[in-house]
Amino acid sequence: MTDSEVAVGVTHVADDTMKMTGCGSCGMYMILEGAPGKSFVCMKCRLIELMEEKIRGLEMQVESLVEFRKGFEQIMEQRHEVSEGKSSDLQMEAGLGNSEGRLGEESGQWKHVTKRTRQRKRRASEGEIELQNRFAELENEEGAQQVVTEGDRARKKRRAVSPIGKGEELMEITPNMSPRRIQDGLKRITRENGNGKNLQPEGTGDRLENSTVTRKRQVYVIGDSLLRRIDRPVTRADPENRRVCCLPGAKIRDVDLRLKRILKGAGKNPLIILHVGTNDTARFSLESIKGDYARLGRTLKEIEAQVIFSGILPVPREGQQRCDKIMTINRWLRQWCYKEGFGMYGHWEAFMDRGQFSRDGLHLSREGNRLLGWRLAQLIKRALN
């Protein structure tokens, strides 16, 4: 028996076992193995039947909930009506009792008191209130003349006490006038009369000196090129009293030489934040850097200011050796600042992401500038408060 004959025999057997069957629900035909039952239903129709049963169950639950809510609302309405009826009965009894007590006093008739009726207060008769005009004396001419003469006497007394001489203009000083307004008025009188005398009333000079506005503390952020584009977040809170001084390529010695020139006119006890040292780590040894920091510290003590050193940031392009050197300097700087009475604020852990630096691996990217500016602004806020 050849292979072709065997294959034909297998196909005949397969044809005998597979039969075309139609679904009794949707009428779709399917090829099934074996002889299915007379009431054959496909899988899709079975799922639809199950879904319809669930929907019918949900509808029955909704109907029962609606009926329960209607019954609950009816019970609440009945209770409300019963409570309103009781309250109205009590008010009727109280009104009748009050009307019986006032029967002979007011009108001699019964009054029906409803729920919204308010008991009005009994007004006293006009005969019980004593009416009086407080300004009756001003209507009299004699009283008015007396008031005018008293006012003239008071003005004459002030003119006699005033340091202004005869023939000069009199400026009346009231308690509500501000010291600045008093001073402006005296200057105007002196200018008009051509007299150089000091016409300030006694005691006004002290008030004017005490009322001067104190100047806010000045804040200076000084450092190398890493401070680029941080002026907005740093100076946003107080642009008049905060300054950012960026010195590209500056080293510790350069900041020491320019510090007094930068802080000229800084006022009393300014806040100085120094971010410098990155360029020194590339060229100088540890001992040289420590000596430069010591000289800068002596200059800062001569200025008498609040000083905070900002820690040196990592330099990703230089590798692990440069980073180890910077970490050593930061540790020494923290100890030295604590010994000398300065503050120290580190940023090492906040700038471990390479995306916070630009392509050269030295300067900061825009994201890094925003982060450094925000951190310095928060530092200034804590230091001033």
Side-chain angles (χ1 to χ4, degrees):
M1 192 172 183
T2 62
D3 294 339
S4 60
E5 293 177 354
V6 172
V8 170
V10 171
T11 53
H12 285 298
V13 172
D15 292 339
D16 293 337
T17 57
M18 305 296 289
K19 292 186 178 181
M20 184 77 67
T21 307
C23 178
S25 178
C26 62
M28 297 294 293
Y29 286 95
M30 299 180 65
I31 299 175
L32 299 176
E33 184 178 359
K38 296 181 179 179
S39 59
F40 173 74
V41 180
C42 63
M43 184 60 67
K44 294 182 179 179
C45 294
R46 291 179 184 177
L47 294 175
I48 292 172
E49 289 178 358
L50 292 174
M51 190 180 295
E52 289 177 351
E53 290 179 0
K54 290 184 179 180
I55 291 171
R56 283 193 293 270
L58 292 174
E59 289 177 350
M60 293 175 63
Q61 292 180 5
V62 171
E63 290 177 358
S64 61
L65 289 174
V66 170
E67 292 178 357
F68 174 76
R69 184 175 180 180
K70 289 180 179 179
F72 179 75
E73 290 177 353
Q74 291 177 358
I75 293 171
M76 294 302 294
E77 289 178 358
Q78 292 175 1
R79 290 184 179 179
H80 185 64
E81 291 175 358
V82 171
S83 61
E84 284 186 351
K86 289 182 179 179
S87 61
S88 61
D89 293 339
L90 293 174
Q91 290 180 359
M92 285 288 292
E93 293 176 1
L96 290 173
N98 293 333
S99 62
E100 287 178 359
R102 297 194 302 268
L103 182 60
E105 297 179 2
E106 296 181 352
S107 60
Q109 296 180 358
W110 292 96
K111 289 186 177 180
H112 178 68
V113 181
T114 60
K115 180 181 178 181
R116 298 183 180 180
T117 303
R118 296 180 181 177
Q119 295 181 359
R120 299 182 179 179
K121 296 181 180 180
R122 296 178 60 189
R123 296 182 180 179
S125 60
E126 295 181 357
E128 297 177 0
I129 300 175
E130 183 180 356
L131 301 176
Q132 184 180 359
N133 187 2
R134 295 185 298 168
F135 304 99
E137 295 182 0
L138 296 177
E139 296 178 357
N140 191 0
E141 295 180 358
E142 295 180 358
Q145 291 177 0
Q146 185 178 1
V147 172
V148 173
T149 54
E150 290 179 357
D152 293 338
R153 290 175 186 173
R155 290 194 186 92
K156 288 179 181 179
K157 288 182 180 179
R158 288 197 299 269
R159 187 179 290 110
V161 176
S162 176
I164 303 175
K166 294 182 180 180
E168 296 179 353
E169 183 182 357
L170 175 66
M171 185 185 72
E172 297 182 4
I173 300 174
T174 61
N176 295 328
M177 292 179 65
S178 62
R180 185 174 181 180
R181 187 175 178 184
I182 295 171
Q183 190 178 22
D184 294 341
L186 294 173
K187 288 181 181 179
R188 179 175 56 82
I189 295 171
T190 305
R191 189 168 54 254
E192 290 178 357
N193 294 316
N195 189 1
K197 297 180 181 179
N198 185 13
L199 302 179
Q200 289 186 356
E202 296 181 359
T204 58
D206 298 336
R207 292 198 303 268
L208 291 173
E209 290 179 0
N210 295 332
S211 63
T212 56
V213 179
T214 57
R215 185 182 179 185
K216 293 184 179 180
R217 290 182 63 188
Q218 302 292 303
V219 179
Y220 288 84
V221 181
I222 306 170
D224 49 24
S225 57
L226 292 176
L227 300 182
R228 290 175 181 172
R229 295 188 295 271
I230 70 164
D231 50 345
R232 285 188 178 181
V234 171
T235 62
R236 184 182 293 116
D238 192 1
E240 296 180 358
N241 299 301
R242 297 186 183 183
R243 293 175 177 84
V244 177
C245 183
C246 177
L247 305 174
K251 295 179 284 295
I252 302 173
R253 299 174 184 177
D254 301 328
V255 174
D256 186 16
L257 293 174
R258 302 183 186 181
L259 189 61
K260 292 185 178 180
R261 189 188 309 170
I262 295 171
L263 298 177
K264 188 177 182 180
K268 186 178 179 181
N269 192 23
L271 174 60
I272 304 173
I273 298 176
L274 296 171
H275 186 89
V276 65
T278 304
N279 298 319
D280 296 79
T281 58
R283 301 180 182 181
F284 305 115
S285 62
L286 292 176
E287 298 299 328
S288 177
I289 294 172
K290 293 178 182 179
D292 293 340
Y293 272 120
R295 282 191 293 271
L296 180 60
R298 288 192 291 270
T299 305
L300 290 169
K301 287 185 177 180
E302 295 176 359
I303 298 173
E304 296 181 359
Q306 182 183 359
V307 182
I308 301 175
F309 281 88
S310 177
I312 304 174
L313 300 182
V315 183
R317 74 177 184 184
E318 297 296 337
Q320 189 64 32
Q321 185 177 0
R322 177 83 174 271
C323 290
D324 293 340
K325 184 178 181 180
I326 293 173
M327 291 177 66
T328 304
I329 294 173
N330 283 335
R331 285 194 296 269
W332 174 87
L333 184 62
R334 185 177 296 277
Q335 298 174 358
W336 176 77
C337 289
Y338 179 77
K339 180 180 177 182
E340 298 294 330
F342 301 139
M344 199 277 181
Y345 187 62
H347 311 276
W348 190 269
E349 295 180 356
F351 287 87
M352 296 301 294
D353 188 5
R354 183 63 176 82
Q356 295 168 348
F357 293 87
S358 59
R359 294 180 180 178
D360 60 2
L362 174 64
H363 298 91
L364 297 176
S365 61
R366 293 189 178 274
E367 182 182 355
N369 287 325
R370 284 194 294 267
L371 178 59
L372 181 61
W374 178 81
R375 289 177 63 86
L376 293 179
Q378 296 297 317
L379 174 63
I380 293 170
K381 183 178 179 181
R382 292 195 297 269
L384 293 178
N385 293 335

